[in-house]
Amino acid sequence: MKEFFILEGAYLTFAAIILIVTIFIATRPFMGKGVLKKAFVSVFLFLVLAIGLHYYITKSRMASVAKAFEEGKEVLCENRIYTKGANFVTIKKNGEWRLRNDYFVSPNYTRNFFLARCIVK
C-alpha cells in the first residue's frame, strides 16, 4: 500500500482537488436537483479508474524494466540532478549497478534511480 501512495500520491492530491471543485460547482443555486450526487459519483468513478489504470501501467513498466535489467539490457533513467549534461543515465547490469528495492544503486552515484522513472533502451 505504501508503494501505491508513493507512485500515485500526486494524482490522489489532484483527484481530491477535482472532487472539491465538483462539489463546489454542483452545489451552486443554478444547478438542478440531484446534480451533486450524479456529478460526484461520475467524477469519483472516473478518477478511480484513471488512477488505477495509471498504477497498473506503471507497475507493468517497472516489472519490464527490472526484467530487462536482469537480462543485461540497457536501461535509461531520468537524471534530474545534472541538467547541464545528459537528461538520462544509461544503466546496464555490471559490477557497478545493482537493483535494490525498486531502485538502481551504484557506488559512483550519490543518488539512487527509482525504477518507475526508467525505460528500456
Side-chain angles (χ1 to χ4, degrees), residues 1 5 11 16-17 38-39 45 57 59 68 77 91 111 119:
M1 194 64 164
F5 287 113
Y11 297 113
I17 292 168
K38 291 176 189 175
L45 290 176
I57 290 170
K59 288 297 291 178
C77 288
I91 295 175
R111 92 178 263 253
I119 59 171

Side-chain angles (χ1 to χ4, degrees), residues 7-47:
L7 290 173
E8 304 300 325
Y11 297 113
L12 292 171
T13 303
F14 290 142
I17 292 168
I18 290 169
L19 288 173
I20 290 169
V21 169
T22 301
I23 291 170
F24 179 76
I25 292 172
T27 56
R28 298 298 91 202
F30 56 83
M31 298 302 283
K33 252 188 163 181
V35 170
L36 174 62
K37 184 177 180 180
K38 291 176 189 175
F40 185 83
V41 170
S42 300
V43 171
F44 180 79
L45 290 176
F46 172 76
L47 291 171

Side-chain angles (χ1 to χ4, degrees), residues 1 3 11 18 21 32 35 43 53 63 76 83 87 93 102 105 116 120:
M1 194 64 164
E3 185 177 66
Y11 297 113
I18 290 169
V21 169
V35 170
V43 171
L53 185 62
L76 296 176
T83 56
N87 292 333
K93 188 173 186 175
D102 292 337
V105 294
V120 179

Side-chain angles (χ1 to χ4, degrees), residues 77-78 81 91 97-98 100 102-107 109-115:
C77 288
E78 189 176 32
I81 290 181
I91 295 175
W97 290 101
R98 292 184 319 265
R100 186 186 315 146
D102 292 337
Y103 287 91
F104 289 115
V105 294
S106 170
Y109 281 86
T110 57
R111 92 178 263 253
N112 302 330
F113 294 93
F114 189 41
L115 196 59

